[in-house]
Amino acid sequence: MTIKHQAYSAVRWTTAVTVGRVVLQTVQLIVLARLISPQDFGLMAMVLAVTAFIQIFADLGVSNSIIQAREISREVLSTLYGLNVAVGALLSGAIWAASPAIARFYGEPA
């Protein structure tokens, strides 16, 4: 298989996965909109906006570095796992600490 065919295959798979994710997320939102009250749905949208912003910083490129490495030892994988856990804990703590300010920003005490 040539590099050109590999690139086309990667683009097709990436596109298919992205389209599938968007469709599933849309269906999820439609179902939730029918099951919960408009006030709760609005609260959920506020929370999703904050968590989507934080997720930008969650990975720190660790997944890409693992994928790009030809060979990677178990020690490095273990260290990267610990890094991901530590960053997740740090970001969770940051959201918890910032939650009063976020609630004031949105004007929603819940």
Side-chain angles (χ1 to χ4, degrees):
M1 184 182 271
T2 67
I3 191 80
K4 187 176 180 179
H5 291 299
Q6 288 177 340
Y8 285 139
S9 177
V11 168
R12 283 193 305 265
W13 277 108
T14 302
T15 302
V17 167
T18 302
V19 168
R21 184 181 322 133
V22 168
V23 167
L24 287 174
Q25 287 175 339
T26 303
V27 169
Q28 177 185 10
L29 286 175
I30 291 169
V31 169
L32 278 174
R34 299 288 294 160
L35 293 177
I36 62 178
S37 71
Q39 182 179 2
D40 289 340
F41 191 79
L43 184 61
M44 183 191 74
M46 292 178 217
V47 170
L48 286 177
V50 172
T51 56
F53 178 73
I54 293 298
Q55 283 179 343
I56 294 170
F57 305 104
D59 185 33
L60 296 176
V62 172
S63 300
N64 290 334
S65 67
I66 292 172
I67 291 169
Q68 293 297 322
R70 296 265 182 216
E71 294 180 21
I72 192 162
S73 68
R74 292 187 65 72
E75 292 82 20
V76 171
L77 285 174
S78 177
T79 301
L80 292 174
Y81 175 76
L83 175 67
N84 265 347
V85 169
V87 168
L90 180 70
L91 290 174
S92 296
I95 290 176
W96 176 77
S99 62
I102 294 169
R104 275 193 306 276
F105 173 77
Y106 281 120
E108 177 64 48

Coordinates of all heavy atoms in Angstrom, one line a residue, residues 12-108:
R12 N -10.4 8.9 5.3 CA -11.8 8.3 5.3 C -12.1 7.9 6.7 O -13.3 8.1 7.2 CB -11.8 7.1 4.3 CG -11.9 7.6 2.9 CD -12.3 6.4 2.0 NE -11.4 5.3 2.1 CZ -10.3 5.1 1.3 NH1 -10.0 5.9 0.4 NH2 -9.5 4.0 1.5
W13 N -11.2 7.2 7.4 CA -11.5 6.7 8.8 C -11.8 7.9 9.7 O -12.7 7.8 10.5 CB -10.4 5.8 9.3 CG -10.5 4.4 8.8 CD1 -9.8 3.8 7.9 CD2 -11.5 3.5 9.3 NE1 -10.2 2.5 7.7 CE2 -11.3 2.3 8.6 CE3 -12.6 3.5 10.1 CZ2 -12.1 1.1 8.7 CZ3 -13.4 2.4 10.3 CH2 -13.1 1.2 9.6
T14 N -10.9 8.9 9.6 CA -11.1 10.0 10.5 C -12.4 10.7 10.3 O -13.1 11.1 11.2 CB -9.9 11.0 10.3 OG1 -8.7 10.3 10.6 CG2 -10.0 12.2 11.2
T15 N -12.8 10.9 9.0 CA -14.0 11.5 8.6 C -15.2 10.7 9.2 O -16.2 11.2 9.7 CB -14.1 11.7 7.1 OG1 -13.0 12.5 6.7 CG2 -15.4 12.3 6.7
A16 N -15.1 9.4 9.0 CA -16.2 8.5 9.4 C -16.4 8.6 10.9 O -17.5 8.6 11.4 CB -16.0 7.1 9.0
V17 N -15.3 8.5 11.6 CA -15.4 8.6 13.1 C -15.9 9.9 13.6 O -16.8 10.0 14.5 CB -14.0 8.3 13.7 CG1 -13.9 8.7 15.2 CG2 -13.6 6.9 13.5
T18 N -15.5 11.0 12.9 CA -16.0 12.4 13.3 C -17.5 12.5 13.0 O -18.2 13.0 13.9 CB -15.2 13.4 12.6 OG1 -13.8 13.3 12.9 CG2 -15.6 14.8 13.0
V19 N -17.9 12.1 11.9 CA -19.3 12.1 11.5 C -20.1 11.3 12.5 O -21.2 11.7 13.0 CB -19.6 11.7 10.1 CG1 -21.0 11.5 9.8 CG2 -19.0 12.8 9.1
G20 N -19.6 10.1 12.8 CA -20.3 9.2 13.7 C -20.5 9.8 15.1 O -21.5 9.7 15.7
R21 N -19.4 10.4 15.6 CA -19.4 11.1 16.9 C -20.4 12.2 16.9 O -21.2 12.4 17.9 CB -18.0 11.6 17.2 CG -18.0 12.2 18.6 CD -16.7 12.8 19.1 NE -15.5 12.0 18.6 CZ -14.5 12.6 18.0 NH1 -14.4 13.8 17.8 NH2 -13.5 11.8 17.6
V22 N -20.5 13.0 15.9 CA -21.4 14.2 15.8 C -22.8 13.7 15.8 O -23.7 14.2 16.5 CB -21.1 15.1 14.6 CG1 -22.2 16.0 14.3 CG2 -19.8 15.8 14.8
V23 N -23.1 12.6 15.0 CA -24.5 12.1 14.9 C -24.9 11.5 16.3 O -26.0 11.8 16.8 CB -24.5 11.0 13.8 CG1 -25.8 10.2 13.9 CG2 -24.4 11.6 12.4
L24 N -24.0 10.8 16.9 CA -24.3 10.2 18.3 C -24.6 11.3 19.3 O -25.5 11.2 20.1 CB -23.3 9.2 18.7 CG -23.2 7.9 18.0 CD1 -22.1 7.1 18.4 CD2 -24.5 7.1 18.2
Q25 N -23.7 12.3 19.3 CA -23.9 13.4 20.2 C -25.2 14.2 20.0 O -25.9 14.6 20.9 CB -22.7 14.4 20.2 CG -21.5 13.8 20.8 CD -20.2 14.7 20.6 OE1 -20.2 15.5 19.7 NE2 -19.3 14.5 21.5
T26 N -25.6 14.3 18.7 CA -26.8 15.0 18.4 C -28.0 14.2 18.9 O -28.9 14.7 19.5 CB -26.9 15.3 16.9 OG1 -25.8 16.0 16.5 CG2 -28.2 16.0 16.5
V27 N -28.0 12.9 18.7 CA -29.0 12.0 19.1 C -29.1 12.1 20.7 O -30.2 12.1 21.2 CB -28.8 10.6 18.6 CG1 -29.8 9.6 19.3 CG2 -29.0 10.5 17.1
Q28 N -28.0 12.1 21.3 CA -27.9 12.2 22.8 C -28.6 13.4 23.2 O -29.4 13.4 24.2 CB -26.5 12.1 23.2 CG -26.3 12.2 24.7 CD -24.8 12.3 25.1 OE1 -24.0 12.4 24.3 NE2 -24.6 12.3 26.4
L29 N -28.3 14.5 22.6 CA -28.9 15.8 23.0 C -30.4 15.8 22.8 O -31.2 16.4 23.6 CB -28.2 17.0 22.3 CG -26.8 17.3 22.8 CD1 -26.2 18.4 21.9 CD2 -26.9 17.8 24.2
I30 N -30.8 15.3 21.7 CA -32.3 15.2 21.4 C -33.0 14.4 22.4 O -34.1 14.8 22.9 CB -32.5 14.6 20.0 CG1 -32.0 15.6 18.9 CG2 -34.0 14.3 19.7 CD1 -32.0 15.1 17.5
V31 N -32.4 13.2 22.8 CA -33.1 12.4 23.8 C -33.1 13.1 25.2 O -34.1 13.1 25.9 CB -32.3 11.0 23.9 CG1 -32.8 10.2 25.2 CG2 -32.5 10.2 22.7
L32 N -32.0 13.7 25.5 CA -31.9 14.5 26.8 C -32.9 15.6 26.8 O -33.5 15.9 27.9 CB -30.5 15.0 27.1 CG -29.5 14.0 27.7 CD1 -28.1 14.6 27.7 CD2 -30.0 13.5 29.0
A33 N -33.0 16.3 25.7 CA -34.0 17.4 25.6 C -35.4 17.0 25.9 O -36.2 17.7 26.4 CB -33.9 18.1 24.3
R34 N -35.7 15.7 25.5 CA -37.1 15.2 25.7 C -37.2 14.7 27.2 O -38.4 14.7 27.7 CB -37.3 14.0 24.8 CG -37.3 14.4 23.3 CD -38.5 15.2 22.9 NE -39.7 14.4 23.0 CZ -40.9 15.0 23.0 NH1 -41.0 16.2 23.0 NH2 -41.9 14.2 23.1
L35 N -36.2 14.3 27.8 CA -36.3 13.7 29.1 C -36.2 14.6 30.3 O -36.7 14.4 31.4 CB -35.2 12.6 29.3 CG -35.3 11.4 28.4 CD1 -34.1 10.4 28.6 CD2 -36.6 10.6 28.6
I36 N -35.4 15.7 30.2 CA -35.2 16.6 31.3 C -35.9 18.0 31.0 O -36.2 18.3 29.9 CB -33.7 16.8 31.6 CG1 -33.0 17.4 30.4 CG2 -33.1 15.5 32.0 CD1 -31.5 17.7 30.7
S37 N -36.1 18.7 32.1 CA -36.8 20.0 32.0 C -35.9 21.0 31.3 O -34.7 20.9 31.2 CB -37.1 20.5 33.4 OG -35.9 20.9 34.1
P38 N -36.5 22.0 30.7 CA -35.7 23.1 30.0 C -34.7 23.7 30.9 O -33.6 24.0 30.5 CB -36.7 24.1 29.5 CG -38.0 23.3 29.3 CD -37.9 22.2 30.4
Q39 N -35.0 23.9 32.2 CA -34.1 24.5 33.1 C -32.9 23.6 33.3 O -31.8 24.1 33.3 CB -34.8 24.8 34.5 CG -33.9 25.5 35.5 CD -34.6 25.8 36.8 OE1 -35.7 25.5 37.0 NE2 -33.9 26.4 37.7
D40 N -33.1 22.3 33.5 CA -32.0 21.4 33.7 C -31.2 21.3 32.4 O -30.0 21.1 32.5 CB -32.6 20.0 34.1 CG -33.1 20.0 35.5 OD1 -32.7 20.9 36.3 OD2 -33.9 19.1 35.9
F41 N -31.8 21.3 31.3 CA -31.1 21.3 30.0 C -30.2 22.5 29.9 O -29.1 22.4 29.4 CB -32.1 21.2 28.8 CG -31.4 20.8 27.5 CD1 -31.1 19.5 27.3 CD2 -31.2 21.8 26.6 CE1 -30.5 19.2 26.1 CE2 -30.5 21.5 25.4 CZ -30.2 20.2 25.1
G42 N -30.7 23.7 30.3 CA -29.9 24.8 30.2 C -28.7 24.7 31.1 O -27.5 25.1 30.8
L43 N -28.9 24.2 32.3 CA -27.8 24.0 33.3 C -26.8 23.0 32.7 O -25.6 23.2 32.8 CB -28.4 23.5 34.6 CG -27.4 23.3 35.8 CD1 -26.7 24.6 36.1 CD2 -28.1 22.7 37.0
M44 N -27.3 22.0 32.1 CA -26.4 21.0 31.5 C -25.5 21.7 30.4 O -24.3 21.4 30.3 CB -27.2 19.8 30.9 CG -26.3 18.7 30.3 SD -27.2 17.5 29.4 CE -27.6 18.5 27.9
A45 N -26.1 22.5 29.6 CA -25.4 23.2 28.5 C -24.3 24.1 29.1 O -23.2 24.2 28.6 CB -26.4 24.1 27.7
M46 N -24.6 24.8 30.2 CA -23.6 25.6 30.9 C -22.4 24.7 31.4 O -21.2 25.1 31.2 CB -24.2 26.3 32.1 CG -25.1 27.4 31.7 SD -25.8 28.1 33.2 CE -27.5 28.4 32.8
V47 N -22.7 23.6 32.0 CA -21.7 22.7 32.5 C -20.9 22.1 31.3 O -19.6 22.0 31.3 CB -22.3 21.5 33.3 CG1 -21.3 20.5 33.6 CG2 -22.9 22.1 34.6
L48 N -21.5 21.8 30.2 CA -20.8 21.2 29.0 C -19.9 22.3 28.4 O -18.8 21.9 27.9 CB -21.8 20.7 28.0 CG -22.5 19.4 28.3 CD1 -23.5 19.0 27.3 CD2 -21.5 18.3 28.5
A49 N -20.3 23.5 28.4 CA -19.4 24.6 27.9 C -18.1 24.7 28.7 O -17.0 24.8 28.1 CB -20.1 25.9 27.9
V50 N -18.2 24.6 30.0 CA -17.0 24.7 30.9 C -16.2 23.4 30.7 O -15.0 23.5 30.5 CB -17.5 24.8 32.4 CG1 -16.2 24.7 33.3 CG2 -18.2 26.2 32.5
T51 N -16.8 22.3 30.7 CA -16.0 21.0 30.6 C -15.4 20.9 29.2 O -14.3 20.4 29.1 CB -16.8 19.8 30.9 OG1 -18.0 19.7 30.1 CG2 -17.2 19.8 32.4
A52 N -16.0 21.3 28.2 CA -15.5 21.3 26.8 C -14.2 22.2 26.8 O -13.2 21.8 26.1 CB -16.5 21.7 25.8
F53 N -14.3 23.3 27.4 CA -13.1 24.2 27.4 C -11.9 23.5 28.2 O -10.8 23.6 27.7 CB -13.4 25.5 28.1 CG -12.3 26.5 28.2 CD1 -11.8 27.1 27.1 CD2 -11.7 26.7 29.4 CE1 -10.7 28.0 27.2 CE2 -10.6 27.6 29.5 CZ -10.1 28.2 28.4
I54 N -12.2 22.9 29.3 CA -11.2 22.2 30.1 C -10.6 21.0 29.4 O -9.4 20.8 29.5 CB -11.7 21.8 31.5 CG1 -12.1 23.1 32.3 CG2 -10.8 21.0 32.2 CD1 -10.9 24.0 32.6
Q55 N -11.4 20.3 28.6 CA -10.9 19.2 27.9 C -9.8 19.5 26.8 O -9.0 18.7 26.5 CB -12.1 18.4 27.2 CG -12.9 17.6 28.1 CD -14.0 16.9 27.4 OE1 -14.4 17.3 26.3 NE2 -14.6 15.9 28.1
I56 N -9.8 20.8 26.4 CA -8.7 21.2 25.5 C -7.4 21.0 26.2 O -6.4 20.6 25.5 CB -8.9 22.7 25.1 CG1 -10.2 22.9 24.3 CG2 -7.7 23.2 24.4 CD1 -10.6 24.4 24.2
F57 N -7.3 21.2 27.5 CA -6.0 21.1 28.2 C -5.8 19.7 28.8 O -4.7 19.4 29.3 CB -6.0 22.1 29.3 CG -6.2 23.5 28.8 CD1 -7.4 24.1 29.0 CD2 -5.2 24.2 28.1 CE1 -7.6 25.4 28.5 CE2 -5.4 25.4 27.6 CZ -6.6 26.1 27.8
A58 N -6.7 18.8 28.7 CA -6.7 17.6 29.5 C -5.6 16.6 28.9 O -4.9 16.0 29.7 CB -8.0 16.9 29.5
D59 N -5.5 16.5 27.6 CA -4.6 15.5 27.1 C -3.1 15.9 27.0 O -2.2 15.1 27.2 CB -5.1 15.1 25.7 CG -4.2 13.9 25.1 OD1 -3.8 13.1 25.9 OD2 -4.1 13.9 23.9
L60 N -2.9 17.2 26.8 CA -1.5 17.7 26.7 C -0.7 17.1 25.6 O 0.6 17.1 25.7 CB -0.8 17.6 28.0 CG -1.4 18.4 29.2 CD1 -0.6 18.1 30.5 CD2 -1.3 19.9 28.9
G61 N -1.3 16.4 24.6 CA -0.5 15.8 23.5 C 0.0 14.5 23.9 O 0.8 13.9 23.1
V62 N -0.3 13.9 25.0 CA 0.3 12.6 25.4 C -0.2 11.5 24.5 O 0.7 10.7 24.1 CB -0.1 12.3 26.9 CG1 0.3 10.9 27.3 CG2 0.5 13.3 27.8
S63 N -1.4 11.5 24.1 CA -1.9 10.5 23.2 C -1.1 10.5 21.9 O -0.7 9.4 21.3 CB -3.4 10.6 22.9 OG -4.1 10.5 24.1
N64 N -0.9 11.7 21.3 CA -0.2 11.8 20.1 C 1.2 11.4 20.2 O 1.8 10.7 19.3 CB -0.3 13.2 19.6 CG -1.6 13.6 19.1 OD1 -2.4 12.8 18.7 ND2 -1.9 14.9 19.1
S65 N 1.9 11.6 21.4 CA 3.2 11.2 21.5 C 3.3 9.7 21.6 O 4.3 9.1 21.1 CB 3.8 11.9 22.8 OG 3.2 11.4 23.9
I66 N 2.4 9.1 22.2 CA 2.4 7.6 22.3 C 2.2 7.0 20.9 O 2.9 6.0 20.6 CB 1.3 7.1 23.3 CG1 1.6 7.5 24.7 CG2 1.1 5.6 23.2 CD1 0.5 7.2 25.7
I67 N 1.3 7.6 20.2 CA 1.0 7.1 18.8 C 2.3 7.2 17.9 O 2.6 6.3 17.1 CB -0.2 7.7 18.2 CG1 -1.5 7.3 18.9 CG2 -0.3 7.4 16.7 CD1 -2.7 8.1 18.6
Q68 N 2.9 8.4 18.0 CA 4.1 8.7 17.2 C 5.3 7.9 17.5 O 6.2 7.7 16.7 CB 4.4 10.2 17.2 CG 3.3 11.0 16.6 CD 3.1 10.8 15.1 OE1 4.1 10.5 14.4 NE2 1.9 10.8 14.7
A69 N 5.5 7.4 18.7 CA 6.7 6.7 19.2 C 6.7 5.3 18.5 O 5.8 4.6 18.5 CB 6.7 6.5 20.7
R70 N 7.9 5.0 17.9 CA 8.1 3.7 17.3 C 8.1 2.6 18.4 O 7.5 1.6 18.2 CB 9.4 3.7 16.5 CG 9.5 4.6 15.4 CD 9.1 3.9 14.1 NE 9.2 4.9 13.0 CZ 8.3 4.8 12.0 NH1 7.4 4.0 12.0 NH2 8.5 5.7 11.1
E71 N 8.9 2.8 19.4 CA 8.9 1.9 20.5 C 8.8 2.7 21.8 O 9.4 3.8 21.9 CB 10.3 1.1 20.5 CG 10.4 0.2 19.3 CD 11.8 -0.5 19.3 OE1 12.4 -0.6 20.4 OE2 12.2 -0.9 18.3
I72 N 8.1 2.2 22.7 CA 7.9 2.9 24.0 C 7.9 1.8 25.1 O 7.2 0.8 25.0 CB 6.6 3.7 23.9 CG1 6.5 4.7 25.1 CG2 5.3 2.8 23.8 CD1 5.5 5.8 24.9
S73 N 8.6 2.1 26.1 CA 8.8 1.2 27.2 C 7.6 1.3 28.2 O 6.8 2.3 28.2 CB 10.1 1.5 28.0 OG 10.0 2.7 28.7
R74 N 7.4 0.2 29.0 CA 6.4 0.2 30.0 C 6.6 1.3 31.0 O 5.6 1.9 31.5 CB 6.3 -1.2 30.6 CG 5.9 -2.2 29.7 CD 5.6 -3.6 30.3 NE 4.5 -3.6 31.3 CZ 3.2 -3.6 31.0 NH1 2.8 -3.5 29.8 NH2 2.3 -3.7 32.0
E75 N 7.8 1.7 31.3 CA 8.1 2.7 32.3 C 7.6 4.1 31.8 O 7.0 4.9 32.5 CB 9.6 2.8 32.6 CG 10.1 1.6 33.4 CD 10.5 0.4 32.5 OE1 10.6 0.6 31.2 OE2 10.5 -0.7 33.0
V76 N 7.8 4.3 30.5 CA 7.4 5.6 29.9 C 5.8 5.6 29.9 O 5.2 6.6 30.2 CB 8.0 5.8 28.5 CG1 7.3 7.0 27.8 CG2 9.5 5.9 28.6
L77 N 5.2 4.5 29.5 CA 3.8 4.4 29.5 C 3.2 4.7 30.9 O 2.2 5.4 31.1 CB 3.3 3.1 28.9 CG 3.4 2.9 27.4 CD1 3.0 1.5 27.1 CD2 2.5 3.9 26.7
S78 N 3.9 4.1 31.9 CA 3.4 4.3 33.3 C 3.6 5.7 33.7 O 2.7 6.3 34.3 CB 4.2 3.4 34.2 OG 3.9 3.6 35.5
T79 N 4.6 6.4 33.3 CA 4.8 7.8 33.6 C 3.8 8.6 32.9 O 3.3 9.6 33.5 CB 6.3 8.2 33.2 OG1 7.2 7.4 33.9 CG2 6.5 9.7 33.5
L80 N 3.5 8.4 31.7 CA 2.5 9.1 30.9 C 1.1 8.9 31.5 O 0.3 9.9 31.6 CB 2.6 8.8 29.5 CG 3.8 9.2 28.7 CD1 3.8 8.7 27.3 CD2 4.0 10.7 28.7
Y81 N 0.9 7.7 32.0 CA -0.4 7.5 32.6 C -0.5 8.3 33.9 O -1.6 9.0 34.2 CB -0.6 6.0 32.9 CG -1.8 5.7 33.7 CD1 -3.1 5.6 33.1 CD2 -1.8 5.4 35.1 CE1 -4.2 5.4 33.8 CE2 -2.9 5.1 35.8 CZ -4.1 5.1 35.2 OH -5.2 4.8 35.9
G82 N 0.5 8.3 34.7 CA 0.5 9.1 35.9 C 0.4 10.6 35.7 O -0.3 11.3 36.4
L83 N 1.0 11.0 34.6 CA 0.9 12.4 34.2 C -0.6 12.8 33.8 O -1.1 13.8 34.2 CB 1.8 12.7 33.0 CG 1.7 14.1 32.4 CD1 2.2 15.2 33.4 CD2 2.5 14.2 31.1
N84 N -1.2 11.9 33.1 CA -2.6 12.1 32.7 C -3.5 12.1 33.9 O -4.4 13.0 34.0 CB -3.1 11.0 31.7 CG -3.0 11.5 30.3 OD1 -2.8 12.6 30.0 ND2 -3.1 10.5 29.4
V85 N -3.3 11.2 34.9 CA -4.1 11.2 36.1 C -3.9 12.5 36.9 O -4.8 13.1 37.4 CB -3.7 10.0 36.9 CG1 -4.4 10.0 38.3 CG2 -4.2 8.7 36.2
A86 N -2.6 12.9 37.0 CA -2.3 14.1 37.8 C -2.9 15.4 37.1 O -3.5 16.2 37.8 CB -0.8 14.3 37.9
V87 N -2.8 15.5 35.8 CA -3.4 16.6 35.1 C -4.9 16.6 35.3 O -5.6 17.6 35.5 CB -3.0 16.6 33.6 CG1 -3.9 17.6 32.8 CG2 -1.5 16.9 33.5
G88 N -5.6 15.4 35.2 CA -7.0 15.3 35.4 C -7.4 15.7 36.8 O -8.4 16.5 36.9
A89 N -6.6 15.3 37.8 CA -6.9 15.7 39.1 C -6.7 17.2 39.3 O -7.6 17.9 40.0 CB -6.0 15.0 40.1
L90 N -5.7 17.8 38.7 CA -5.4 19.2 38.8 C -6.6 20.0 38.1 O -7.1 21.0 38.7 CB -4.1 19.6 38.1 CG -3.7 21.0 38.1 CD1 -3.3 21.5 39.6 CD2 -2.5 21.2 37.2
L91 N -7.0 19.6 36.9 CA -8.1 20.3 36.2 C -9.4 20.2 37.0 O -10.2 21.1 37.0 CB -8.2 19.8 34.8 CG -7.1 20.2 33.9 CD1 -7.2 19.5 32.5 CD2 -7.0 21.6 33.7
S92 N -9.6 19.0 37.6 CA -10.9 18.8 38.4 C -10.8 19.8 39.6 O -11.9 20.4 39.9 CB -11.0 17.4 38.9 OG -11.1 16.5 37.8
G93 N -9.7 19.9 40.2 CA -9.6 20.8 41.3 C -9.7 22.2 40.9 O -10.3 23.0 41.6
A94 N -9.2 22.6 39.7 CA -9.4 23.9 39.2 C -10.8 24.3 39.0 O -11.3 25.4 39.3 CB -8.5 24.1 38.0
I95 N -11.6 23.3 38.4 CA -13.0 23.6 38.2 C -13.7 23.7 39.5 O -14.6 24.6 39.7 CB -13.6 22.4 37.3 CG1 -13.1 22.5 35.9 CG2 -15.1 22.5 37.3 CD1 -13.6 21.3 35.0
W96 N -13.4 22.8 40.4 CA -14.0 22.9 41.8 C -13.8 24.3 42.4 O -14.7 24.9 42.9 CB -13.5 21.8 42.6 CG -14.1 21.8 44.0 CD1 -15.3 21.5 44.5 CD2 -13.4 22.3 45.2 NE1 -15.4 21.7 45.8 CE2 -14.3 22.2 46.3 CE3 -12.1 22.8 45.4 CZ2 -13.9 22.6 47.6 CZ3 -11.8 23.2 46.7 CH2 -12.7 23.1 47.8
A97 N -12.5 24.7 42.3 CA -12.1 26.0 43.0 C -12.8 27.2 42.2 O -13.2 28.2 42.9 CB -10.6 26.2 43.0
A98 N -13.0 27.1 40.9 CA -13.5 28.1 40.1 C -15.0 28.1 40.0 O -15.6 29.0 39.5 CB -12.9 28.1 38.7
S99 N -15.7 27.1 40.6 CA -17.1 26.9 40.4 C -17.9 28.1 41.0 O -18.9 28.5 40.4 CB -17.6 25.6 41.0 OG -17.3 25.5 42.4
P100 N -17.5 28.7 42.1 CA -18.3 29.9 42.5 C -18.2 31.0 41.5 O -19.3 31.7 41.2 CB -17.7 30.3 43.9 CG -17.0 29.1 44.4 CD -16.6 28.3 43.1
A101 N -17.1 31.3 40.9 CA -16.9 32.3 39.9 C -17.7 32.0 38.6 O -18.3 32.8 38.0 CB -15.5 32.6 39.6
I102 N -17.7 30.7 38.3 CA -18.4 30.3 37.1 C -19.9 30.4 37.3 O -20.6 30.9 36.4 CB -18.1 28.8 36.7 CG1 -16.6 28.7 36.3 CG2 -19.0 28.3 35.6 CD1 -16.1 27.3 36.2
A103 N -20.4 30.1 38.5 CA -21.8 30.2 38.8 C -22.2 31.7 38.8 O -23.3 32.1 38.3 CB -22.1 29.6 40.2
R104 N -21.4 32.6 39.3 CA -21.7 34.0 39.2 C -21.7 34.5 37.8 O -22.5 35.3 37.4 CB -20.6 34.8 40.0 CG -20.9 34.9 41.5 CD -20.1 36.0 42.2 NE -18.6 35.8 42.0 CZ -17.9 35.0 42.7 NH1 -18.4 34.2 43.7 NH2 -16.6 34.9 42.5
F105 N -20.7 34.0 37.0 CA -20.7 34.4 35.6 C -22.0 34.1 34.8 O -22.5 34.9 34.1 CB -19.5 33.8 34.9 CG -19.4 34.0 33.4 CD1 -19.0 35.2 32.9 CD2 -19.8 33.0 32.5 CE1 -19.0 35.4 31.5 CE2 -19.8 33.2 31.1 CZ -19.4 34.4 30.7
Y106 N -22.5 32.9 35.1 CA -23.7 32.4 34.4 C -24.9 32.9 35.2 O -26.1 32.8 34.6 CB -23.8 30.9 34.4 CG -22.9 30.3 33.2 CD1 -21.9 29.4 33.5 CD2 -23.2 30.6 31.9 CE1 -21.1 28.9 32.5 CE2 -22.5 30.1 30.9 CZ -21.4 29.2 31.2 OH -20.7 28.7 30.1
G107 N -24.8 33.4 36.4 CA -26.0 33.9 37.1 C -26.9 32.7 37.5 O -28.1 32.9 37.7
E108 N -26.3 31.6 37.8 CA -27.0 30.3 38.1 C -26.4 29.7 39.3 O -25.3 29.1 39.2 CB -27.0 29.4 36.9 CG -27.7 28.1 37.1 CD -29.2 28.2 37.4 OE1 -29.8 28.9 36.7 OE2 -29.6 27.6 38.4

